[in-house]
Amino acid sequence: MSAKKPPTPRSKSKRKQSLVYRPVGLLLGLAGGAAASALFSQAWKAVGRGSDAPDALDEDRTWREILLAAALQGAIFAAVRAAVDRGGAVGVRRLTGTWPGGS
């Protein structure tokens, strides 16, 4: 059996930074989700039929509409999430001098 090594000061600061970043990341994620939802609504109004995006179980909508809406929504949400995650990490580095998440 090997004894656990005591945490180094660097690993303690990384853990503390992670605990501090977690609620900030959560709030940024919520704001990003709201922004992505609003962007998708506007984008769907521009490209879709009607003001409401179709649900997968919407009987009155075509396969094409449903798949287009799903692809558009996925692309918008992924792009917003990447922008929010990256912006949050850059902000943490500016404040603390270290990049969150290990590397």
Side-chain angles (χ1 to χ4, degrees), residues 5-62:
K5 294 180 183 178
T8 63
R10 182 165 170 83
S11 68
K12 282 183 181 180
S13 70
K14 285 279 189 188
R15 196 172 354 168
K16 185 177 180 182
Q17 179 182 346
S18 175
L19 290 174
V20 170
Y21 181 70
R22 200 169 277 160
V24 172
L26 179 65
L27 291 175
L28 287 173
L30 290 172
S37 181
L39 280 171
F40 173 67
S41 293
Q42 292 301 314
W44 185 254
K45 286 178 186 176
V47 300
R49 183 187 84 191
S51 60
D52 293 335
D55 183 68
L57 299 177
D58 193 347
E59 189 176 16
D60 299 329
R61 302 293 181 100
T62 65

